[in-house]
Amino acid sequence: MARAVLDDPERMKALDPRGVLDLVLRSGETLREGYRLGQEVDLDPGPGADHVLVLGMGGSGIGGDLLRSLAYELAPIPVTVVKEYAPPRWVGARTLVFACSYSGNTEETIAAYDACGRARALRVAITSGGELARRAEADGVPLVRIPPGFPPRAALGYLFGPMLAVLERWGILPSQRAEVEEAASVMEELAREWGPDRPEAGNPTKQLARSLAGRFPVVYACSPFTAAVAQRWKTQLNENGKVYAVWNVFPELNHNETVGWTLAGQPDGLLHVVVLRDAADPPRLVQRLRITRDVALQKAAGYHEVMSRGRGGLSRLFSLILFGDLVSVYLAYLNGVDPYPVAVIDEVKERLEREG
Ligand code: F6R
């Protein structure tokens, strides 16, 4: 009998010639390296910031959402994430702006970067090159140059790590050194535990990918702390797995989406719920999850909970991210597609460029 694709290294390699899986398995190293790059960037101590703003789209913007989750409890000032052309009106000389674009050529991010410059904001650019690197150099804006050659979504550690380091250097976050080291080591350990060499029979990431094949993933975060991770799962399932997916978060989903489950199973119940759990989920939210399962989620074709790993908040977030990234790549293999290309994203960008 032929081996199942997820236990067949040759077939997985053939479906993934540019090695997205290998990049995912290197996530620990990427985070460590991104943090180091942020410590090295040439930066004034600065006059102090009263607000942090992260500009970035897609794979370059999700780092901002994760930063906001972490900073929620740790930072004395707010973190706002902007995923559009124009920054908010309040941006000014005491706003610290991270302009994140892996390619450096994303028009929304460049337009917002320029507008923040006109508002005299304190800017830092994080990019592998392109127009953003050119402008940062011309404007004398600190530039964290990250390695080229990755699909942006696989460069999360490079895009996110520098922000942690800069916020720490500016006294907005406490030292993140031990947190980063723990998260990187946890991810390295998990990459072995959940990697391609671990057969499906003993590998929960492969098993979840198989359960999701042919179904519609619904990813819920049990608490707002992991909301950005649920969003990351959804976008990775979209871009790597090439499937449609949705995400939501407790307690907000109890106030609207739960009602949609009334008819959700009709005509065919293909919705598969994945709930992201964390040791620090507040008891009231765990209670909400239990009740919601009873009153609404029995309509789902399948239900899984995935628990975070590690001690610190950063490890817990990134362990869940690694799980989801692997599921999305294994799902691509099960769907018989290459996880790398994102043809529709490229086509929209090209057509916009041509139309001017
Ligand atoms: C992820 C991806 C997209 C891009 C987004 C913005 O791999 O392809 O989500 O991240 O289109 O482009 P960049 O990251 O170059 O600013």
Side-chain angles (χ1 to χ4, degrees):
M1 202 178 81
R3 276 208 284 178
V5 61
L6 298 184
D7 288 335
D8 185 337
E10 308 283 287
R11 276 168 73 199
M12 289 195 278
K13 265 216 170 66
L15 283 164
D16 187 8
R18 278 162 287 191
V20 174
L21 179 60
D22 291 335
L23 297 177
V24 170
L25 295 170
R26 282 170 47 197
S27 300
E29 176 193 325
T30 313
L31 177 65
R32 204 183 267 123
E33 188 57 15
Y35 178 67
R36 192 185 61 76
L37 292 172
Q39 282 172 321
E40 284 175 0
V41 65
D42 196 9
L43 201 70
D44 281 343
D50 61 12
H51 208 127
V52 177
L53 187 70
V54 183
L55 315 173
M57 306 303 298
S60 291
I62 192 73
D65 300 308
L66 288 163
L67 187 69
R68 193 181 45 197
S69 309
L70 266 184
Y72 200 81
E73 282 193 4
L74 293 178
I77 58 174
V79 174
T80 299
V81 185
V82 162
K83 300 187 178 186
E84 56 164 303
Y85 293 83
R89 169 94 182 271
W90 48 254
V91 170
R94 284 167 61 80
T95 311
L96 168 59
V97 177
F98 292 106
C100 308
S101 169
Y102 184 78
S103 64
N105 292 323
T106 296
E107 63 177 34
E108 298 92 318
T109 311
I110 291 171
Y113 163 89
D114 285 344
C116 288
R118 290 192 293 276
R120 311 217 164 283
L122 308 152
R123 293 175 295 175
V124 176
I126 304 174
T127 182
S128 71
E131 187 56 32
L132 183 59
R134 265 192 295 283
R135 289 190 195 196
E137 272 166 357
D139 298 339
V141 161
L143 169 62
V144 182
R145 218 181 248 279
I146 58 180
F150 285 65
R153 61 192 182 280
L156 177 60
Y158 286 130
L159 289 152
F160 171 79
M163 294 193 282
L164 278 189
V166 170
L167 291 184
E168 165 189 320
R169 287 173 64 188
W170 276 31
I172 296 168
L173 286 180
S175 172
Q176 296 296 302
R177 182 178 295 277
E179 290 266 339
V180 168
E181 195 37 54
E182 192 215 350
S185 322
V186 165
M187 281 195 281
E188 280 161 355
E189 188 188 315
L190 293 175
R192 287 187 289 275
E193 198 175 314
W194 298 335
D197 301 335
R198 181 68 62 96
E200 187 175 331
N203 188 329
T205 55
K206 291 182 177 179
Q207 289 167 3
L208 180 54
R210 184 162 306 276
S211 304
L212 292 178
R215 291 194 174 154
F216 181 94
V218 175
V219 186
Y220 287 161
C222 186
S223 96
F225 179 63
T226 51
V229 182
Q231 187 179 351
R232 166 76 173 186
W233 271 61
K234 175 239 185 263
T235 57
Q236 292 290 76
L237 290 164
N238 295 150
E239 292 183 70
N240 292 335
K242 319 288 188 259
V243 297
Y244 201 80
V246 295
W247 76 275
N248 212 326
V249 54
F250 285 92
E252 172 63 15
L253 70 85
N254 276 154
H255 299 275
N256 35 64
E257 178 154 333
T258 333
V259 186
W261 281 93
T262 314
L263 300 180
Q266 298 175 10
D268 40 9
L270 291 179
L271 305 181
H272 193 110
V273 174
V274 180
V275 180
L276 306 183
R277 292 295 316 277
D278 178 40
D281 284 335
R284 191 69 169 164
L285 295 183
V286 178
Q287 194 181 348
R288 279 181 178 276
L289 169 62
R290 177 176 49 74
I291 295 170
T292 306
R293 281 192 74 178
D294 275 358
V295 302
L297 302 183
Q298 324 90 323
K299 299 263 171 59
Y303 178 91
H304 267 85
E305 289 188 14
V306 177
M307 194 54 154
S308 65
R309 300 274 289 267
R311 266 185 331 107
L314 197 62
S315 301
R316 301 196 323 267
L317 291 178
F318 273 83
S319 63
L320 285 172
I321 288 174
L322 181 64
F323 198 113
D325 285 5
L326 288 169
V327 169
S328 70
V329 175
Y330 292 140
L331 182 59
Y333 300 159
L334 289 169
N335 286 338
V337 293
D338 178 351
Y340 187 97
V342 283
V344 180
I345 295 179
D346 298 339
E347 190 180 339
V348 172
K349 286 183 183 178
E350 276 157 26
R351 285 184 58 171
L352 275 166
E353 176 106 35
R354 254 185 283 133
E355 289 177 19

